[in-house]
Amino acid sequence: MGEGPVGSIPALPMSSGPPHSPPHVEPNKPPDLILAGTLDREATHRLCEEARELLRAADADAPGVLVCDAAGVGPPVLAAVDAVARLQLTARRAGGRIRLRNPAPHLRELLHLVGLPIEIEMARHTEEREPAGRVQEAVEARDPPFR
């Protein structure tokens, strides 16, 4: 222990590996599963069976990522969170994972609140973009000049 100068800290090897890159997003890829309406137990069971079959059919060399379109999910209640959690568990047991596409803000907040680690893919539509700054759409004779 008396090898180095007093107060020096030995360099430790990095164990975290390379930085994590964001998931590859293919916005034009159609979703593998569509989550819509109220996700009760019956709907959840059906979706999990579909997910299991899709992952079995996927290439064995590459882990499967099921894109689940969640834009049509009914009210964001705990049953929806339960359905997403069961889908994620089913996918992990089959060697894959899920990625939610376009979940409603309330569903995203619930998933975050319960701590469910789900990849979320948000598509930006033209109407969702913020308008360009200092652009006046129409001018009328009685409007003051834009400064």
Side-chain angles (χ1 to χ4, degrees):
M1 291 212 173
E3 301 265 329
V6 176
S8 69
I9 300 173
L12 298 175
M14 290 188 62
S15 60
S16 63
H20 220 26
S21 61
H24 180 66
V25 176
E26 298 176 32
N28 296 328
K29 179 187 181 230
D32 298 305
L33 290 173
I34 296 176
L35 313 180
T38 303
L39 299 177
D40 57 8
R41 286 193 183 270
E42 187 176 309
T44 300
H45 180 73
R46 179 186 50 78
L47 288 167
C48 287
E49 287 298 319
E50 286 182 44
R52 196 174 293 113
E53 290 302 317
L54 286 167
L55 287 167
R56 276 191 201 132
D59 184 10
D61 294 334
V65 177
L66 293 179
V67 177
C68 303
D69 188 340
V73 172
V77 294
L78 288 179
V81 173
D82 180 60
V84 170
R86 289 178 186 275
L87 273 171
Q88 179 76 320
L89 181 62
T90 299
R92 294 224 176 178
R93 285 180 177 164
R97 64 184 193 276
I98 67 169
R99 180 181 302 141
L100 287 185
R101 181 179 286 170
N102 298 323
H106 290 90
L107 180 57
R108 284 195 320 263
E109 289 174 19
L110 271 175
L111 291 170
H112 178 72
L113 181 67
V114 298
L116 197 58
I118 299 288
E119 291 179 27
I120 295 181
E121 176 182 316
M122 297 300 296
R124 277 189 78 128
H125 300 289
T126 307
E127 62 272 4
E128 290 179 4
R129 284 192 229 143
E130 292 183 21
R134 302 186 56 86
V135 173
Q136 193 169 2
E137 291 183 11
V139 178
E140 299 211 9
R142 63 182 180 273
D143 284 346
F146 186 72
R147 294 179 194 209

